[in-house]
């Protein structure tokens, strides 16, 4: 299906077809980014990587050449994966040698634990790394110093349950209250359902406006319609959302 859509785009260069392809492969971008989530520097926002992946996706759709043998999805995966890795390296200020040492330390700890059923002592780990204990301590300090921690980083991971560091900090903020959080989740679910009931064109305008942050004029150029038509569609979708959430104004007022 996507291959056929790309063939149509190749023949017509219809921007609307390209945008459909982009929306089709946005889940691929997110899959690649979330597969790399464990390797993200704490200072790196996932949304930034997704934006980088989507930009690469748009360019890759234009550059894809089926005569080189790769399928469309395989080509896009390679380009997006490479761009995400490059962005990770660009954002990580620690030297590669330190990151390599960090991986080697983790590998040594896992190897020892697998062989002996327990974690290695400091002396044993230093021996495995051909270091003196004092040298190992200094290297570990360098690694810790390079890993500046954001409040969005994971503090606890237990199976499928993940807790961000910010959730472990006690606060009087209303947003930290479990009941308020449940209300926010309910409001989000209701909004998603209302959004899904919009027409495809209305959803497309909403994504371009609120996700990709395009102006009404730019959206008009993408969709090949006038700016006033985009404004009309925008007004319609806002009205439809308001009508479908009219009975939940109290709920949205509580979590606003």
């Amino acid at each position: 299906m996507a291959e056929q859509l790309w063939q149509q785009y190749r023949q017509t260069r219809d921007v609307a077809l390209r945008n459909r392809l982009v929306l089709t492969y946005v889940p691929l971008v997110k899959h690649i980014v979330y597969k790399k989530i464990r390797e993200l520097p704490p200072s790196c926002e996932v949304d930034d990587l997704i934006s980088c992946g989507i930009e690469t996706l748009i360019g890759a759709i234009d550059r894809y050449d089926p005569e080189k043998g790769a399928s469309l999805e395989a080509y896009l995966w390679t380009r997006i994966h490479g761009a995400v890795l490059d962005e990770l390296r660009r954002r990580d200020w620690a030297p590669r040698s330190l990151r390599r040492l960090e991986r080697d330390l983790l590998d040594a700890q896992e190897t020892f634990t697998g062989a002996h059923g327990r974690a290695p002592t400091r002396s044993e780990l230093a021996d495995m790394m051909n270091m003196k204990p004092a040298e190992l301590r200094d290297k570990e300090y360098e690694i810790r110093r390079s890993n500046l921690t954001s409040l969005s980083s994971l503090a606890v991971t237990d199976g499928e349950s993940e807790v961000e560091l910010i959730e472990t900090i006690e606060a009087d903020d209303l947003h930290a209250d479990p009941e308020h959080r449940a209300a926010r989740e309910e409001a989000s679910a209701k909004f998603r359902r209302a959004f899904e009931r919009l027409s495809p064109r209305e959803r497309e305008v909403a994504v371009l406006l609120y996700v990709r942050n395009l102006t009404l004029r730019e959206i008009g150029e993408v969709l090949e319609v006038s700016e006033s038509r985009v404004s009309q569609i925008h007004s319609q979708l806002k009205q439809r959302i308001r009508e479908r959430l009219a009975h939940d104004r109290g709920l949205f007022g509580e979590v606003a």
Side-chain angles (χ1 to χ4, degrees):
M1 181 70 177
E3 297 272 358
Q4 294 176 353
L5 191 61
W6 183 87
Q7 289 291 349
Q8 294 176 23
Y9 170 64
R10 185 186 190 185
Q11 294 168 4
T12 65
R13 291 295 166 178
D14 185 340
V15 176
L17 291 175
R18 188 197 65 186
N19 291 336
R20 286 175 58 189
L21 277 167
V22 170
L23 293 176
T24 298
Y25 284 107
V26 163
L28 176 64
V29 173
K30 293 182 177 180
H31 172 75
I32 291 171
V33 169
Y34 286 116
K35 286 279 284 186
K36 303 296 294 180
I37 193 81
R38 303 296 181 189
E39 301 173 31
L40 296 182
S43 60
C44 189
E45 295 289 341
V46 171
D47 287 346
D48 292 340
L49 287 179
I50 291 176
S51 296
C52 168
I54 291 176
E55 289 178 11
T56 303
L57 168 63
I58 293 171
I61 287 173
D62 285 326
R63 287 191 292 272
Y64 173 61
D65 183 357
E67 294 181 1
K68 293 186 177 180
S71 67
L72 175 61
E73 184 163 333
Y75 175 77
L76 295 179
W77 190 97
T78 300
R79 299 286 301 185
I80 295 166
H81 187 262
V84 169
L85 286 180
D86 288 343
E87 184 69 7
L88 280 174
R89 295 188 185 105
R90 188 182 70 80
R91 290 172 176 270
D92 191 2
W93 54 83
R96 293 188 185 182
S97 58
L98 188 62
R99 290 298 176 222
R100 187 161 50 248
L101 175 61
E102 184 178 18
R103 290 194 297 271
D104 290 344
L105 279 170
L106 289 174
D107 290 342
Q109 290 171 333
E110 291 176 358
T111 299
F112 186 96
T113 301
H116 301 277
R118 63 175 177 83
T121 64
R122 310 303 307 140
S123 178
E124 290 168 335
L125 183 58
D127 286 342
M128 294 182 70
M129 299 299 298
N130 294 318
M131 296 179 181
K132 294 180 180 179
E135 184 183 1
L136 174 62
R137 184 174 59 250
D138 291 343
K139 292 297 183 182
E140 288 179 325
Y141 173 73
E142 288 183 38
I143 292 170
R144 288 196 301 272
R145 187 175 59 181
S146 73
N147 290 330
L148 299 180
T149 303
S150 78
L151 293 179
S152 297
S153 59
L154 297 180
V156 178
T157 301
D158 180 14
E160 297 181 356
S161 176
E162 296 181 343
V163 179
E164 292 184 354
L165 184 59
I166 194 170
E167 297 180 54
T168 68
I169 300 175
E170 184 176 357
D172 296 326
D173 186 2
L174 178 63
H175 290 76
D177 180 77
E179 290 187 9
H180 187 79
R181 183 181 303 170
R184 288 180 64 85
E185 291 175 354
E186 182 182 356
S188 295
K190 288 179 178 292
F191 184 88
R192 282 195 299 271
R193 287 195 293 270
F195 180 82
E196 289 168 358
R197 292 173 63 188
L198 296 175
S199 70
R201 177 52 62 93
E202 289 170 338
R203 291 198 300 270
E204 190 172 15
V205 167
V207 169
L208 293 172
L209 181 62
Y210 296 112
V211 178
R212 295 187 58 189
N213 297 316
L214 300 186
T215 65
L216 296 181
R217 180 183 60 78
E218 290 170 334
I219 294 173
E221 293 175 356
V222 170
L223 302 182
E224 297 185 332
V225 298
S226 66
E227 184 176 345
S228 61
R229 176 55 181 154
V230 175
S231 178
Q232 182 183 20
I233 295 172
H234 182 222
S235 298
Q236 289 174 351
L237 74 88
K238 288 196 298 183
Q239 181 61 31
R240 292 180 194 277
I241 291 289
R242 280 197 294 266
E243 291 173 354
R244 286 162 183 164
L245 299 178
H247 298 298
D248 299 292
R249 288 176 181 171
L251 173 63
F252 281 85
E254 288 293 324
V255 300

